[in-house]
Amino acid sequence: MSFLDERKALTREKRLSSLSHFHGNLEALIDETSGEEIKQRIRTFSQIHDDETIYAFDVLSTIEDAAIIVNGSIGCGAIGIAQNDFENFSWYSTNLVERDTILGGDDKLSEAILRAYEEKHPKAIFILGTPVVAINNDDINSVILELEDEIGIPIISIYTDGFKTKTPVTGYDIVTHSILKYLVSKNVDIKEDFINIISYSEDIEDVAVIADIFNELDIKFQILPRFSNVDEIRRASKARASIVLNPEEGEYLAKELEEVFDVPYIETDVPVGFRGTKNFLLKLAAFLNIEDEVVEYIDKAEAELSQVVIKDVLKDKKIFVDVALSRVPAYARLFTNLGGEVVGFSSSFVDLDNRKQLKKLDFLPKTTIAIIGNGQQFEKANELSKNEIDIYFSEKSGSSFATHEGAVVISTKYKVTYGFKGVEVIANAIKKVDEFQEKYRQTSSYRESFKKRSGNWYVKQEVS
């Protein structure tokens, strides 16, 4: 049965038994996640972190001809400020106050919808849920039914409550569910000659690198839902196939397109590192029957990389990797091949789908540090202080705590990391580590008494 039969997307905890609290080693994590269901853990103390509302907003804000209405207090609406660098991005807040939470905010929502339509003339309007509305239980659907015929464009509710999941990537699932149910064209008889490249969290630099590869190989494509428009989303069901840049984020969309709309899903690795990029392209080539052209492209890229990448550039360096679990094996193998020692990794969550990535880490010691958590920098600082890490490699912002523990932070934000170009960019960043290691060593953000505790001091097994 398709997940689209549900009114809204299930949380990752319900759908895939997602775990977002763990602190131990690789062997223990594999053992803990090997059953038919993953036992949940809780934190008795937790730092601030992202939620599914923020993740949903992040991807919706890149759909260029849509408008977003954040249905909640002005504080929730402020998440739009961080996205103002997107030129065609439009967002509104219903600015619900205490009176509205008691008497209902339907009038404010109607006003916001009409204002968005009159000012921006979008092709679709997304109404993003917040904790205020989830608790108040406003009847959003009645407002949608009243106004959708009047303005003549889709008005789509995004059911993000902000507190029902500890796995913020659920926000991507909620957006996916809604666009599949209310935007993607149904009953398509004739497929067209293009590939859906599915992207959710990638910076535009990485998306551009993959687009360049497709262009060089003369493969027609469209990116969605990130950096797309409403018409491109509609025609997703007409694609020849779909390929996903990060499976743990985009497989929901790819699998539903395959099951419901008969669009084949080309399952691949994340295109990170030489090996990951090679496997990504070879899977695509096998589907399109263009193996000769792709092998020639890979051979040329390998020859060029051999001229700029120093094999032992990471010799005697200890690295901690803080990235999505689907990317951990690729980065860990890349750093190992460059002579480094990967002593630990951290990811936001592990579930029944992405746990297969842990088996790909068989080249690392079983004692490798493993931290699963959304945010929680204090747990990572605890391990960094005990292991004299040289490089903290992260795809997230807010990593200054690592420099306080003596590590050099290499951030992938706004850097190319995908494709063969990404290997070159990362290798060049690594060359500068020695220059910065002593220069930016600072006083720790955390007391010594905290760092003497075990790393899982605040992580407990949930009692059922």
Side-chain angles (χ1 to χ4, degrees):
M1 184 182 75
S2 167
F3 289 119
L4 295 188
D5 293 333
E6 304 284 346
R7 185 174 72 92
K8 57 183 179 179
L10 300 175
T11 65
R12 285 288 176 106
E13 286 85 354
K14 289 183 178 179
R15 185 165 68 88
L16 293 171
S17 197
S18 176
L19 174 69
S20 55
H21 303 311
F22 179 87
H23 195 127
N25 60 43
L26 177 59
E27 182 179 32
L29 181 58
I30 291 174
D31 180 65
E32 184 144 335
T33 58
S34 61
E36 293 183 5
E37 184 177 344
I38 301 174
K39 291 183 179 180
Q40 296 298 299
R41 288 174 175 263
I42 61 173
R43 279 192 170 85
T44 56
F45 169 76
S46 182
Q47 287 181 307
I48 191 169
H49 52 77
D50 290 340
D51 62 24
E52 80 273 17
T53 305
I54 293 173
Y55 272 46
F57 190 96
D58 179 58
V59 68
L60 289 173
S61 67
T62 66
I63 301 175
E64 63 182 38
D65 50 4
I68 305 173
I69 295 173
V70 182
N71 193 22
S73 66
I74 192 64
C76 293
I79 57 178
I81 296 172
Q83 302 295 342
N84 276 345
D85 52 345
F86 291 110
E87 185 178 346
N88 298 318
F89 167 46
S90 302
W91 66 278
Y92 299 80
S93 170
T94 51
N95 188 21
L96 301 182
V97 296
E98 185 177 359
R99 175 184 174 87
D100 303 314
T101 64
I102 299 170
L103 301 178
D106 292 358
D107 289 343
K108 282 190 171 181
L109 178 58
S110 297
E111 181 182 345
I113 291 172
L114 292 173
R115 180 183 171 189
Y117 178 72
E118 290 167 2
E119 290 183 354
K120 299 297 181 180
H121 303 291
K123 290 189 176 180
I125 295 174
F126 295 101
I127 302 173
L128 194 68
T130 62
V132 172
V133 177
I135 295 170
N136 191 39
N137 200 28
D138 274 3
D139 188 6
I140 296 173
N141 287 332
S142 64
V143 177
I144 292 174
L145 289 172
E146 180 182 343
L147 293 180
E148 201 165 37
D149 287 339
E150 179 180 337
I151 65 178
I153 63 171
I155 306 172
I156 301 167
S157 183
I158 307 295
Y159 294 98
T160 46
D161 296 331
F163 56 84
K164 289 186 178 178
T165 177
K166 296 181 179 70
T167 312
V169 75
T170 294
Y172 295 151
D173 297 346
I174 294 168
V175 169
T176 296
H177 192 91
S178 293
I179 64 176
L180 282 169
K181 199 159 188 173
Y182 302 110
L183 276 186
V184 175
S185 299
K186 299 173 176 62
N187 303 318
V188 175
D189 296 325
I190 301 174
K191 299 295 183 182
E192 297 179 13
D193 186 24
F194 69 91
I195 302 292
N196 291 323
I197 301 177
I198 296 175
S199 167
Y200 279 86
S201 66
E202 283 78 16
D203 290 331
I204 195 167
E205 291 83 359
D206 276 331
V207 174
V209 163
I210 298 302
D212 287 343
I213 294 174
F214 273 60
N215 285 328
E216 188 160 344
L217 294 171
D218 197 26
I219 303 170
K220 296 181 177 63
F221 66 92
Q222 67 173 19
I223 312 289
L224 58 91
R226 197 164 178 82
F227 309 118
S228 65
N229 57 49
V230 172
D231 287 339
E232 288 170 338
I233 293 173
R234 290 186 190 279
R235 66 194 289 259
S237 56
K238 299 180 180 181
R240 187 174 177 183
S242 299
I243 196 165
V244 180
L245 297 185
N246 183 350
E248 69 183 36
E249 297 171 350
E251 270 197 342
Y252 189 112
L253 177 53
K255 287 182 176 179
E256 290 298 293
L257 281 172
E258 183 172 59
E259 181 176 349
V260 180
F261 301 95
D262 297 320
V263 178
Y265 169 32
I266 307 169
E267 297 190 44
T268 67
D269 294 335
V270 177
V272 166
F274 182 83
R275 179 171 174 170
T277 303
K278 178 180 177 180
N279 290 342
F280 177 89
L281 292 177
L282 289 176
K283 289 283 185 68
L284 178 65
F287 179 85
L288 298 175
N289 296 315
I290 55 171
E291 288 93 336
D292 291 344
E293 295 94 318
V294 169
V295 168
E296 182 180 350
Y297 177 84
I298 292 171
D299 289 343
K300 178 183 175 184
E302 183 176 21
E304 292 174 352
L305 280 177
S306 66
Q307 302 298 314
V308 296
V309 177
I310 302 172
K311 185 168 179 57
D312 291 326
V313 70
L314 282 174
K315 186 178 180 181
D316 299 326
K317 299 294 184 186
K318 292 183 177 181
I319 304 105
F320 190 95
V321 179
D322 185 12
V323 299
L325 190 58
S326 57
R327 301 186 185 111
V328 169
Y331 282 125
R333 191 174 294 279
L334 173 62
F335 298 148
T336 301
N337 290 340
L338 293 175
E341 178 189 358
V342 177
V343 298
F345 68 90
S346 175
S347 296
S348 295
F349 71 97
V350 58
D351 62 25
L352 296 177
D353 270 0
N354 72 357
R355 66 182 178 182
K356 60 192 174 189
Q357 302 296 336
L358 298 174
K359 299 291 181 66
K360 296 179 182 179
L361 294 171
D362 54 2
F363 59 92
L364 295 181
K366 294 180 180 179
T367 54
T368 299
I369 301 160
I371 300 175
I372 301 297
N374 177 22
Q376 316 312 320
Q377 289 91 334
F378 67 99
E379 290 188 16
K380 300 165 195 174
N382 182 294
E383 290 294 348
L384 295 182
S385 67
K386 294 174 181 175
N387 290 277
E388 297 183 351
I389 306 298
D390 297 295
I391 298 173
Y392 182 82
F393 186 87
S394 176
E395 62 188 10
K396 302 175 178 66
S397 57
S399 299
S400 60
F401 71 92
T403 65
H404 300 169
E405 307 303 334
V408 174
V409 175
I410 296 180
S411 172
T412 67
K413 271 291 184 185
Y414 310 117
K415 287 188 180 74
V416 174
T417 59
Y418 279 3
F420 300 121
K421 178 66 176 176
V423 179
E424 181 181 350
V425 170
I426 292 168
N428 287 335
I430 288 168
K431 292 175 185 176
K432 302 176 183 178
V433 168
D434 288 334
E435 176 185 344
F436 291 100
Q437 193 143 23
E438 292 301 325
K439 187 176 181 180
Y440 290 103
R441 188 181 295 272
Q442 300 178 36
T443 304
S444 175
S445 305
Y446 300 96
R447 292 181 179 179
E448 290 301 318
S449 59
F450 160 74
K451 291 188 291 187
K452 288 179 181 178
R453 297 174 178 172
S454 65
N456 61 0
W457 183 266
Y458 297 110
V459 181
K460 309 298 179 186
Q461 186 73 47
E462 188 173 44
V463 179
S464 57

